[in-house]
Amino acid sequence: MSKMLPLLCAGIACLSLTGCSLQEGNSEYPGEQCYLNKDNVTKFSCMGNDYTILEDTVSNNGLGAWVGYIRQLVAVDETGKVILQEDLKNGTLQTLAKISDLVDKAPGKSHVLPFVNVYAASDAGDYLIVDIDGEYHKAVIDEDVRDVDRVFDFKDMRQSTSCGFSVNPRDATQILCDGVVYQVTSDTVSDGELGSRIDLLARNVVFDAETKIPLSKEELREIDWYGETVGRHREQWMYKDVYEINRTEKTEAVAVRINDVFYVAKRQ
């Protein structure tokens, strides 16, 4: 029998200023505000220039000075046009709630992406770096885009799977894909063991620790006047994205990020 995931804290702890997309801090952001192109989410303007975001990414070590910010959570259609947009706040729980709400509002065939900070390159290269959902993508001035450059594929997160993953409405510790149940275990996956990203869940789930049943928004708002829930424990998991695990068939197990830790979810 699979081991159940132990109690996780509701908040997400940011370990470094430059390496965390959901940062706590002052309400004022350093650098200039940058703006997404609402007709094409692969483009943005910043410091008087228009940039194209590329598929090329860098590691944390490739980040230079923090020069600006976008801080927008957007839902885009299949053409890359922004159809819904929300400001991202500093507070982690506020951000998680906005992700969940925007996913609920967005039409079926849409992609939800958080665009956060903009950095210079650590090697003084002639490009910027944009934090998109924890990945650091290079961005070059429009006039400098070459034929060999690959433009950021915002749809890539859903291309590697034929099904859409979802949280089991009857057991919040399980995820579903085309009727197949994957049980989240306490086994963790390191970054080096991760394969391709399969899907984005973006679900903030509060559930009864005993029954594993998710609580509705109405239940969360109810006041327990008679103490009926005394002694009952609730857990809160923020499901983010689903990845393949290297050397493991995704039909057998996948890695799912919950509260910023990757756990193994095994097919039942």
Side-chain angles (χ1 to χ4, degrees), residues 85-99:
Q85 190 167 339
E86 292 274 4
D87 289 334
L88 282 177
K89 302 298 183 182
N90 270 343
T92 298
L93 293 180
Q94 282 183 302
T95 299
L96 299 186
K98 281 185 176 291
I99 291 174

Side-chain angles (χ1 to χ4, degrees), residues 6-196:
L7 172 64
L8 296 170
C9 62
I12 295 179
C14 290
L15 300 180
S16 66
L17 182 63
T18 58
C20 183
S21 297
L22 306 178
Q23 297 176 6
E24 303 289 352
N26 298 325
S27 59
E28 297 296 326
Y29 309 132
E32 293 196 22
Q33 183 170 4
C34 306
Y35 300 91
L36 286 173
N37 184 324
K38 293 185 178 181
D39 293 320
N40 186 345
V41 78
T42 68
K43 296 179 178 292
F44 70 97
S45 59
C46 194
M47 297 179 289
N49 293 312
D50 294 324
Y51 288 86
T52 296
I53 304 170
L54 304 180
E55 270 290 281
D56 297 347
T57 58
V58 301
S59 67
N60 285 355
N61 294 332
L63 300 180
W66 189 352
V67 298
Y69 62 93
I70 298 174
R71 291 201 170 254
Q72 293 288 311
L73 182 67
V74 299
V76 299
D77 64 16
E78 291 292 290
T79 69
K81 184 176 182 179
V82 176
I83 52 179
L84 288 172
Q85 190 167 339
E86 292 274 4
D87 289 334
L88 282 177
K89 302 298 183 182
N90 270 343
T92 298
L93 293 180
Q94 282 183 302
T95 299
L96 299 186
K98 281 185 176 291
I99 291 174
S100 183
D101 288 344
L102 196 64
V103 170
D104 290 338
K105 294 176 186 175
K109 289 187 177 180
S110 60
H111 307 269
V112 177
L113 298 167
F115 289 78
V116 194
N117 301 317
V118 180
Y119 303 89
S122 63
D123 60 3
D126 192 19
Y127 59 90
L128 296 179
I129 299 167
V130 187
D131 179 354
I132 307 172
D133 195 20
E135 294 185 349
Y136 301 110
H137 286 262
K138 291 183 179 180
V140 297
I141 294 176
D142 285 353
E143 291 77 13
D144 294 338
V145 177
R146 303 167 300 172
D147 292 339
V148 296
D149 288 330
R150 294 183 302 144
V151 176
F152 169 55
D153 185 358
F154 60 89
K155 296 183 288 186
D156 183 59
M157 65 177 61
R158 291 189 180 272
Q159 286 182 342
S160 59
T161 180
S162 59
C163 71
F165 278 87
S166 61
V167 178
N168 188 342
R170 292 187 291 272
D171 186 334
T173 67
Q174 297 176 341
I175 54 177
L176 308 175
C177 183
D178 276 351
V180 177
V181 177
Y182 291 81
Q183 177 65 59
V184 178
T185 73
S186 59
D187 299 330
T188 59
V189 182
S190 67
D191 290 347
E193 297 174 298
L194 294 175
S196 301

